[in-house]
Amino acid sequence: MKTAAIFLIDGFEETEALTTVDILRRGGVVVTTASLTGRQEVISKNKIHVRADAMFDEVKSQKFDMIILPGGTLAIKDHEGLQELVKKYNAEGKLIGAICAAPAALGRAGVLHGRTAVCYPGLESHLEGAKAGTHIVETDGNITTAKGPAVTPFFALKLLELLEGKAMADEVAEGFLIPLVYRA
């Protein structure tokens, strides 16, 4: 069974975080939500209080198949522990996903050089070293990025496809009522 960690910081975009958790879990991925705040409770962009499964320090040494960064705030790029984890996962060729403002954390970590990536419109300057992509979801090597809240299901389905295969992603998409013709 595949595993993923999704990192939450105050101001996170709830659609990007929770829809991704939902879709991955529907596909059989064991997902751990981890707080970057030093508190179990994390407050979303729209003031929704979410209780994370674990704290960053509890999961930073675990071996996940993928790490995921939701957007909502550029503050995610300033968490030094997460920066080190992103660099480590990239060096090992492990899967990394980031959406909306969160690809800025990948840019700051220096893992986007020579890659195609996308982010929330207007934040492209944070994609340090990357070529701005044209699709709503871009996968380049081990890194998948996406534009923002409205494309979250497509982002999450792409992550699921990378972890569990196209058949599982298609099955979850069908159950989620996303016609395959609209899949990213």
Side-chain angles (χ1 to χ4, degrees), residues 86-97 103 106-107 109-119 124 126-134 138-145 162:
V86 165
K87 291 174 188 175
K88 179 178 186 265
Y89 269 68
N90 187 62
E92 295 173 359
K94 288 187 157 190
L95 298 173
I96 301 170
L106 306 184
V111 302
L112 294 178
H113 289 280
R115 298 179 191 260
T116 300
V118 292
C119 62
E124 291 83 4
H126 294 279
L127 299 177
E128 299 172 35
K131 173 185 172 239
T134 58
E138 292 277 2
T139 298
D140 191 336
N142 62 310
I143 295 177
T144 299
T145 55
L162 293 169

Side-chain angles (χ1 to χ4, degrees), residues 23 129-130 156-157:
I23 286 175
L157 287 167

Side-chain angles (χ1 to χ4, degrees), residues 56-134:
F56 177 78
D57 287 342
E58 296 170 332
V59 301
K60 68 182 179 185
S61 298
Q62 291 183 25
K63 303 291 182 202
F64 294 98
D65 296 298
M66 176 183 285
I67 58 172
I68 305 162
L69 289 63
T73 175
L74 287 170
I76 197 163
K77 73 180 180 60
D78 297 324
H79 189 280
E80 294 303 326
L82 183 61
Q83 282 289 303
E84 292 307 311
L85 193 63
V86 165
K87 291 174 188 175
K88 179 178 186 265
Y89 269 68
N90 187 62
E92 295 173 359
K94 288 187 157 190
L95 298 173
I96 301 170
I99 183 169
C100 192
L106 306 184
R108 180 169 179 241
V111 302
L112 294 178
H113 289 280
R115 298 179 191 260
T116 300
V118 292
C119 62
Y120 194 83
L123 298 179
E124 291 83 4
S125 65
H126 294 279
L127 299 177
E128 299 172 35
K131 173 185 172 239
T134 58

